[in-house]
Amino acid sequence: MPHEQVPAALREDARPAGRTGGLPALPDGVDWPEPREPLVLSVDCAALPQDVLDIELPADGHLLLFTEIEYPPESSVVLHVRAGARTTERSATYEFNGEAGQVRVYEPRTLYPVPGLTLDSDGEVGPRTRAFLDDDGGEDGANDGAEDALDSFEEAVLDMAFGGQRPGVCVQLGGFSDSWDMAPDVGELVLFAQLAGQAIDYNVFTMNLIVGTRGDIAARRFAGLQYDQQC
């Protein structure tokens, strides 16, 4: 998240760990992945907090995520650039069939890592939670006061884990998704990354979710990741 949104108690020691937008720095012989989707996220793996993530990311190097956030992506790519690799920043302009083209480049914004908690979307189906929500629910079985109390409790716990009031727009690695529609991290699929469109461009109102199996993520088989865009 941006430095100004880092909790005050953590701000002094915060160190950058990523960036949204900008141009990619790629190793020699590696071109902008086709079909040239925008670079939306770069992650410095070595700068991430240790023993926090519930997915196994590379210990060092950079992860680069190319995808479309304004419309459902036709193709999306995650690349891992190993630490120490000789890289060159690529241009957004290119030539295709004799015609000039240009990739959309979003304004670069530096991100700082902050650990936190997330909630399973199925959390309310637990027996004790259901008993609390259904207690004295009236004729329709719904207890608005209990639902409000549960929502407030969840928000307080999440804010406490974050160290302050959590921002509404962010980039998240791992954990449970906070999707706007059906959660894609179900069964063997876990959340790799979640990107709010406004975290990249203030005028884009989408939620972009990337999921995969723990095995594929740990083995860096990023071609097996699945992408879901919600509006």
Side-chain angles (χ1 to χ4, degrees):
M1 61 189 56
H3 190 264
E4 65 270 15
Q5 294 181 357
V6 174
L10 305 176
R11 200 170 298 159
E12 182 176 353
D13 295 327
R15 297 293 180 268
R19 185 194 70 190
T20 59
L23 293 169
L26 298 172
D28 296 346
V30 177
D31 199 2
W32 199 303
E34 294 293 344
R36 294 183 179 267
E37 302 283 15
L39 174 67
V40 295
L41 179 66
S42 306
V43 177
D44 182 354
C45 297
L48 295 174
Q50 299 297 312
D51 302 322
V52 172
L53 291 174
D54 62 342
I55 53 176
E56 187 177 341
L57 296 183
D60 52 24
H62 286 76
L63 288 173
L64 308 182
L65 172 57
F66 302 83
T67 192
E68 176 61 71
I69 62 168
E70 298 187 44
Y71 308 96
E74 295 181 0
S75 175
S76 302
V77 176
V78 172
L79 295 180
H80 177 244
V81 179
R82 63 178 177 82
R86 178 180 176 181
T87 61
T88 304
E89 186 174 86
R90 296 296 191 265
S91 170
T93 60
Y94 63 96
E95 184 176 310
F96 181 73
N97 289 338
E99 296 185 2
Q102 181 163 338
V103 184
R104 173 68 184 267
V105 179
Y106 291 103
E107 177 186 351
R109 298 192 183 103
T110 302
L111 299 180
Y112 294 77
V114 178
L117 291 178
T118 57
L119 297 176
D120 187 346
S121 60
D122 291 333
E124 293 189 6
V125 302
R128 294 187 178 181
T129 304
R130 289 310 322 163
F132 173 74
L133 292 174
D134 293 341
D135 182 41
D136 193 25
E139 295 181 358
D140 59 0
N143 187 336
D144 292 340
E147 291 181 353
D148 291 343
L150 180 62
D151 289 343
S152 297
F153 174 75
E154 291 177 347
E155 288 296 318
V157 171
L158 294 176
D159 286 349
M160 185 182 301
F162 175 73
Q165 186 173 0
R166 294 169 299 124
V169 176
C170 65
V171 172
Q172 176 186 321
L173 298 177
F176 292 112
S177 69
D178 186 16
S179 58
W180 294 350
D181 201 340
M182 297 293 293
D185 45 331
V186 293
E188 294 184 352
L189 297 176
V190 298
L191 185 69
F192 175 78
Q194 174 174 298
L195 303 92
Q198 282 190 294
I200 301 160
D201 185 317
Y202 295 135
N203 298 310
V204 177
F205 298 88
T206 60
M207 182 59 71
N208 304 273
L209 304 112
I210 307 163
V211 297
T213 66
R214 294 189 185 278
D216 280 348
I217 294 172
R220 306 183 192 178
R221 294 190 292 265
F222 299 130
L225 296 174
Q226 300 177 29
Y227 297 77
D228 181 27
Q229 186 177 98
Q230 301 176 3
C231 300

Short mmCIF file of all heavy atoms in Angstrom, two decimals, residues 8-52:
data_model
loop_
_atom_site.label_atom_id
_atom_site.label_comp_id
_atom_site.label_asym_id
_atom_site.label_seq_id
_atom_site.Cartn_x
_atom_site.Cartn_y
_atom_site.Cartn_z
N ALA A 8 0.61 4.19 11.46
CA ALA A 8 1.61 5.12 12.00
C ALA A 8 2.71 4.39 12.76
O ALA A 8 3.89 4.77 12.68
CB ALA A 8 0.92 6.13 12.90
N ALA A 9 2.34 3.34 13.50
CA ALA A 9 3.34 2.63 14.30
C ALA A 9 4.36 1.89 13.45
O ALA A 9 5.46 1.57 13.92
CB ALA A 9 2.63 1.64 15.23
N LEU A 10 4.04 1.62 12.19
CA LEU A 10 4.93 0.87 11.30
C LEU A 10 5.59 1.74 10.25
O LEU A 10 6.48 1.29 9.54
CB LEU A 10 4.14 -0.25 10.60
CG LEU A 10 3.37 -1.23 11.48
CD1 LEU A 10 2.57 -2.19 10.61
CD2 LEU A 10 4.32 -2.00 12.39
N ARG A 11 5.17 2.99 10.16
CA ARG A 11 5.56 3.82 9.03
C ARG A 11 7.06 4.14 9.01
O ARG A 11 7.69 4.14 7.96
CB ARG A 11 4.76 5.12 9.05
CG ARG A 11 4.71 5.86 7.73
CD ARG A 11 3.69 6.98 7.80
NE ARG A 11 2.35 6.45 8.04
CZ ARG A 11 1.34 7.16 8.54
NH1 ARG A 11 1.55 8.42 8.89
NH2 ARG A 11 0.15 6.61 8.71
N GLU A 12 7.65 4.36 10.18
CA GLU A 12 9.05 4.78 10.23
C GLU A 12 9.98 3.70 9.69
O GLU A 12 10.98 4.00 9.01
CB GLU A 12 9.45 5.13 11.67
CG GLU A 12 10.89 5.62 11.80
CD GLU A 12 11.23 6.04 13.22
OE1 GLU A 12 10.31 6.09 14.07
OE2 GLU A 12 12.41 6.32 13.47
N ASP A 13 9.67 2.43 9.96
CA ASP A 13 10.54 1.33 9.54
C ASP A 13 10.09 0.68 8.24
O ASP A 13 10.69 -0.31 7.80
CB ASP A 13 10.61 0.26 10.63
CG ASP A 13 11.25 0.77 11.91
OD1 ASP A 13 12.15 1.62 11.80
OD2 ASP A 13 10.84 0.34 13.00
N ALA A 14 9.03 1.21 7.61
CA ALA A 14 8.51 0.60 6.40
C ALA A 14 9.50 0.73 5.25
O ALA A 14 10.14 1.77 5.08
CB ALA A 14 7.18 1.24 6.02
N ARG A 15 9.63 -0.33 4.47
CA ARG A 15 10.52 -0.33 3.31
C ARG A 15 9.72 -0.78 2.09
O ARG A 15 8.88 -1.66 2.19
CB ARG A 15 11.69 -1.28 3.54
CG ARG A 15 12.60 -0.88 4.70
CD ARG A 15 13.34 0.42 4.39
NE ARG A 15 14.22 0.84 5.48
CZ ARG A 15 13.86 1.64 6.46
NH1 ARG A 15 12.62 2.11 6.51
NH2 ARG A 15 14.71 1.98 7.40
N PRO A 16 9.99 -0.19 0.93
CA PRO A 16 9.22 -0.56 -0.28
C PRO A 16 9.37 -2.04 -0.61
O PRO A 16 10.42 -2.63 -0.40
CB PRO A 16 9.85 0.31 -1.37
CG PRO A 16 10.54 1.43 -0.65
CD PRO A 16 11.00 0.85 0.65
N ALA A 17 8.28 -2.61 -1.12
CA ALA A 17 8.31 -4.02 -1.51
C ALA A 17 7.66 -4.25 -2.87
O ALA A 17 7.60 -5.39 -3.33
CB ALA A 17 7.62 -4.90 -0.46
N GLY A 18 7.18 -3.21 -3.50
CA GLY A 18 6.52 -3.41 -4.78
C GLY A 18 6.14 -2.09 -5.42
O GLY A 18 6.41 -1.00 -4.90
N ARG A 19 5.47 -2.22 -6.57
CA ARG A 19 5.06 -1.05 -7.33
C ARG A 19 3.92 -1.44 -8.25
O ARG A 19 3.91 -2.53 -8.81
CB ARG A 19 6.23 -0.54 -8.17
CG ARG A 19 5.97 0.76 -8.93
CD ARG A 19 7.04 0.98 -9.98
NE ARG A 19 6.92 0.03 -11.08
CZ ARG A 19 7.82 -0.13 -12.04
NH1 ARG A 19 8.94 0.57 -12.00
NH2 ARG A 19 7.63 -1.00 -13.01
N THR A 20 2.94 -0.57 -8.36
CA THR A 20 1.93 -0.75 -9.39
C THR A 20 2.34 0.07 -10.62
O THR A 20 3.01 1.10 -10.50
CB THR A 20 0.54 -0.29 -8.92
OG1 THR A 20 0.59 1.10 -8.55
CG2 THR A 20 0.08 -1.11 -7.72
N GLY A 21 1.92 -0.39 -11.79
CA GLY A 21 2.17 0.35 -13.02
C GLY A 21 3.64 0.42 -13.42
O GLY A 21 4.46 -0.40 -13.01
N GLY A 22 3.94 1.41 -14.24
CA GLY A 22 5.30 1.60 -14.72
C GLY A 22 5.65 0.67 -15.87
O GLY A 22 4.79 0.00 -16.46
N LEU A 23 6.93 0.62 -16.19
CA LEU A 23 7.46 -0.21 -17.26
C LEU A 23 8.22 -1.39 -16.67
O LEU A 23 8.85 -1.26 -15.61
CB LEU A 23 8.39 0.61 -18.17
CG LEU A 23 7.72 1.71 -18.99
CD1 LEU A 23 8.78 2.60 -19.63
CD2 LEU A 23 6.82 1.11 -20.06
N PRO A 24 8.19 -2.54 -17.34
CA PRO A 24 8.88 -3.72 -16.79
C PRO A 24 10.37 -3.71 -17.09
O PRO A 24 10.81 -3.32 -18.18
CB PRO A 24 8.19 -4.88 -17.52
CG PRO A 24 7.80 -4.31 -18.85
CD PRO A 24 7.43 -2.86 -18.56
N ALA A 25 11.18 -4.16 -16.14
CA ALA A 25 12.60 -4.42 -16.35
C ALA A 25 12.75 -5.92 -16.56
O ALA A 25 12.52 -6.71 -15.64
CB ALA A 25 13.42 -3.95 -15.16
N LEU A 26 13.11 -6.32 -17.79
CA LEU A 26 13.14 -7.73 -18.16
C LEU A 26 14.55 -8.18 -18.52
O LEU A 26 15.36 -7.38 -19.00
CB LEU A 26 12.21 -7.98 -19.35
CG LEU A 26 10.73 -7.68 -19.11
CD1 LEU A 26 9.94 -7.77 -20.40
CD2 LEU A 26 10.17 -8.63 -18.07
N PRO A 27 14.86 -9.47 -18.29
CA PRO A 27 16.19 -9.98 -18.63
C PRO A 27 16.46 -9.92 -20.13
O PRO A 27 15.53 -9.87 -20.94
CB PRO A 27 16.14 -11.44 -18.14
CG PRO A 27 15.01 -11.48 -17.15
CD PRO A 27 14.02 -10.47 -17.62
N ASP A 28 17.73 -9.94 -20.49
CA ASP A 28 18.11 -9.97 -21.89
C ASP A 28 17.46 -11.16 -22.58
O ASP A 28 17.45 -12.29 -22.05
CB ASP A 28 19.63 -10.08 -22.03
CG ASP A 28 20.35 -8.86 -21.46
OD1 ASP A 28 19.67 -7.84 -21.22
OD2 ASP A 28 21.58 -8.94 -21.25
N GLY A 29 16.89 -10.93 -23.75
CA GLY A 29 16.26 -12.00 -24.51
C GLY A 29 14.82 -12.25 -24.14
O GLY A 29 14.16 -13.10 -24.76
N VAL A 30 14.29 -11.56 -23.14
CA VAL A 30 12.89 -11.72 -22.74
C VAL A 30 12.13 -10.46 -23.13
O VAL A 30 12.45 -9.37 -22.66
CB VAL A 30 12.75 -11.96 -21.22
CG1 VAL A 30 11.28 -12.06 -20.84
CG2 VAL A 30 13.49 -13.24 -20.83
N ASP A 31 11.14 -10.62 -24.00
CA ASP A 31 10.38 -9.47 -24.47
C ASP A 31 9.11 -9.31 -23.63
O ASP A 31 8.75 -10.18 -22.83
CB ASP A 31 10.01 -9.64 -25.95
CG ASP A 31 9.62 -8.32 -26.61
OD1 ASP A 31 9.69 -7.29 -25.92
OD2 ASP A 31 9.25 -8.34 -27.78
N TRP A 32 8.43 -8.18 -23.83
CA TRP A 32 7.13 -7.95 -23.18
C TRP A 32 6.21 -9.10 -23.56
O TRP A 32 6.02 -9.39 -24.74
CB TRP A 32 6.55 -6.63 -23.69
CG TRP A 32 5.49 -6.03 -22.83
CD1 TRP A 32 4.31 -6.62 -22.45
CD2 TRP A 32 5.48 -4.72 -22.26
NE1 TRP A 32 3.58 -5.76 -21.67
CE2 TRP A 32 4.27 -4.58 -21.54
CE3 TRP A 32 6.38 -3.65 -22.29
CZ2 TRP A 32 3.93 -3.41 -20.87
CZ3 TRP A 32 6.05 -2.50 -21.61
CH2 TRP A 32 4.84 -2.37 -20.91
N PRO A 33 5.60 -9.80 -22.59
CA PRO A 33 4.78 -10.97 -22.91
C PRO A 33 3.62 -10.62 -23.84
O PRO A 33 2.96 -9.60 -23.66
CB PRO A 33 4.28 -11.44 -21.54
CG PRO A 33 5.23 -10.87 -20.56
CD PRO A 33 5.69 -9.57 -21.13
N GLU A 34 3.39 -11.49 -24.81
CA GLU A 34 2.25 -11.32 -25.70
C GLU A 34 0.98 -11.75 -24.98
O GLU A 34 1.01 -12.65 -24.15
CB GLU A 34 2.44 -12.15 -26.97
CG GLU A 34 3.60 -11.68 -27.84
CD GLU A 34 3.36 -10.32 -28.46
OE1 GLU A 34 2.19 -9.87 -28.48
OE2 GLU A 34 4.34 -9.70 -28.92
N PRO A 35 -0.16 -11.10 -25.28
CA PRO A 35 -0.38 -10.03 -26.26
C PRO A 35 -0.20 -8.63 -25.69
O PRO A 35 -1.01 -7.74 -25.93
CB PRO A 35 -1.83 -10.26 -26.67
CG PRO A 35 -2.48 -10.76 -25.41
CD PRO A 35 -1.44 -11.57 -24.70
N ARG A 36 0.86 -8.44 -24.92
CA ARG A 36 1.25 -7.12 -24.42
C ARG A 36 0.17 -6.46 -23.57
O ARG A 36 -0.28 -5.36 -23.84
CB ARG A 36 1.67 -6.20 -25.57
CG ARG A 36 2.93 -6.68 -26.28
CD ARG A 36 3.37 -5.73 -27.37
NE ARG A 36 4.58 -6.21 -28.01
CZ ARG A 36 5.83 -5.87 -27.67
NH1 ARG A 36 6.02 -5.04 -26.66
NH2 ARG A 36 6.87 -6.36 -28.32
N GLU A 37 -0.23 -7.16 -22.52
CA GLU A 37 -1.11 -6.56 -21.52
C GLU A 37 -0.30 -5.60 -20.66
O GLU A 37 0.93 -5.72 -20.55
CB GLU A 37 -1.74 -7.64 -20.64
CG GLU A 37 -2.54 -8.70 -21.39
CD GLU A 37 -3.90 -8.21 -21.82
OE1 GLU A 37 -4.15 -6.99 -21.81
OE2 GLU A 37 -4.74 -9.06 -22.19
N PRO A 38 -0.94 -4.62 -20.00
CA PRO A 38 -0.19 -3.67 -19.16
C PRO A 38 0.49 -4.36 -17.97
O PRO A 38 -0.01 -5.37 -17.45
CB PRO A 38 -1.28 -2.71 -18.67
CG PRO A 38 -2.41 -2.86 -19.63
CD PRO A 38 -2.37 -4.29 -20.09
N LEU A 39 1.61 -3.80 -17.56
CA LEU A 39 2.22 -4.20 -16.30
C LEU A 39 1.45 -3.53 -15.17
O LEU A 39 1.39 -2.30 -15.10
CB LEU A 39 3.69 -3.78 -16.25
CG LEU A 39 4.41 -4.02 -14.91
CD1 LEU A 39 4.56 -5.52 -14.65
CD2 LEU A 39 5.77 -3.33 -14.90
N VAL A 40 0.84 -4.33 -14.29
CA VAL A 40 0.05 -3.74 -13.21
C VAL A 40 0.70 -3.88 -11.85
O VAL A 40 0.40 -3.10 -10.93
CB VAL A 40 -1.38 -4.34 -13.18
CG1 VAL A 40 -2.14 -3.97 -14.44
CG2 VAL A 40 -1.36 -5.84 -12.98
N LEU A 41 1.61 -4.84 -11.69
CA LEU A 41 2.21 -5.04 -10.37
C LEU A 41 3.60 -5.65 -10.50
O LEU A 41 3.81 -6.59 -11.26
CB LEU A 41 1.33 -5.97 -9.53
CG LEU A 41 1.83 -6.29 -8.11
CD1 LEU A 41 1.83 -5.04 -7.24
CD2 LEU A 41 0.96 -7.39 -7.48
N SER A 42 4.55 -5.08 -9.73
CA SER A 42 5.89 -5.64 -9.57
C SER A 42 6.13 -5.85 -8.08
O SER A 42 5.87 -4.95 -7.28
CB SER A 42 6.95 -4.69 -10.13
OG SER A 42 6.68 -4.34 -11.47
N VAL A 43 6.61 -7.03 -7.71
CA VAL A 43 6.82 -7.37 -6.30
C VAL A 43 8.27 -7.76 -6.07
O VAL A 43 8.81 -8.64 -6.77
CB VAL A 43 5.90 -8.53 -5.86
CG1 VAL A 43 6.18 -8.91 -4.41
CG2 VAL A 43 4.44 -8.16 -6.04
N ASP A 44 8.92 -7.11 -5.12
CA ASP A 44 10.26 -7.48 -4.68
C ASP A 44 10.12 -8.56 -3.61
O ASP A 44 9.82 -8.28 -2.45
CB ASP A 44 10.98 -6.25 -4.12
CG ASP A 44 12.40 -6.55 -3.67
OD1 ASP A 44 12.81 -7.73 -3.69
OD2 ASP A 44 13.11 -5.60 -3.28
N CYS A 45 10.30 -9.81 -4.02
CA CYS A 45 10.01 -10.93 -3.11
C CYS A 45 10.85 -10.89 -1.84
O CYS A 45 10.36 -11.24 -0.75
CB CYS A 45 10.24 -12.25 -3.84
SG CYS A 45 9.16 -12.53 -5.25
N ALA A 46 12.10 -10.46 -1.93
CA ALA A 46 12.98 -10.43 -0.76
C ALA A 46 12.55 -9.39 0.26
O ALA A 46 12.93 -9.46 1.44
CB ALA A 46 14.42 -10.17 -1.19
N ALA A 47 11.73 -8.41 -0.16
CA ALA A 47 11.30 -7.35 0.75
C ALA A 47 9.99 -7.66 1.45
O ALA A 47 9.55 -6.88 2.30
CB ALA A 47 11.16 -6.03 -0.02
N LEU A 48 9.36 -8.79 1.12
CA LEU A 48 8.10 -9.14 1.77
C LEU A 48 8.36 -9.63 3.19
O LEU A 48 9.40 -10.24 3.47
CB LEU A 48 7.39 -10.25 0.97
CG LEU A 48 6.93 -9.87 -0.43
CD1 LEU A 48 6.38 -11.10 -1.15
CD2 LEU A 48 5.88 -8.76 -0.39
N PRO A 49 7.42 -9.39 4.11
CA PRO A 49 7.60 -9.89 5.49
C PRO A 49 7.73 -11.42 5.50
O PRO A 49 7.04 -12.12 4.75
CB PRO A 49 6.30 -9.45 6.19
CG PRO A 49 5.79 -8.31 5.37
CD PRO A 49 6.20 -8.61 3.95
N GLN A 50 8.61 -11.93 6.32
CA GLN A 50 8.84 -13.36 6.40
C GLN A 50 7.80 -14.03 7.29
O GLN A 50 7.28 -13.45 8.23
CB GLN A 50 10.25 -13.64 6.95
CG GLN A 50 11.36 -13.07 6.09
CD GLN A 50 11.41 -13.69 4.70
OE1 GLN A 50 11.37 -14.91 4.58
NE2 GLN A 50 11.49 -12.85 3.68
N ASP A 51 7.49 -15.29 6.99
CA ASP A 51 6.60 -16.12 7.81
C ASP A 51 5.22 -15.49 8.00
O ASP A 51 4.60 -15.64 9.05
CB ASP A 51 7.23 -16.39 9.19
CG ASP A 51 8.58 -17.07 9.07
OD1 ASP A 51 8.73 -17.93 8.17
OD2 ASP A 51 9.48 -16.75 9.85
N VAL A 52 4.73 -14.79 6.99
CA VAL A 52 3.41 -14.16 7.06
C VAL A 52 2.48 -14.73 6.01
O VAL A 52 1.33 -15.08 6.30
CB VAL A 52 3.52 -12.63 6.89
CG1 VAL A 52 2.14 -12.00 6.77
CG2 VAL A 52 4.27 -12.02 8.06
#
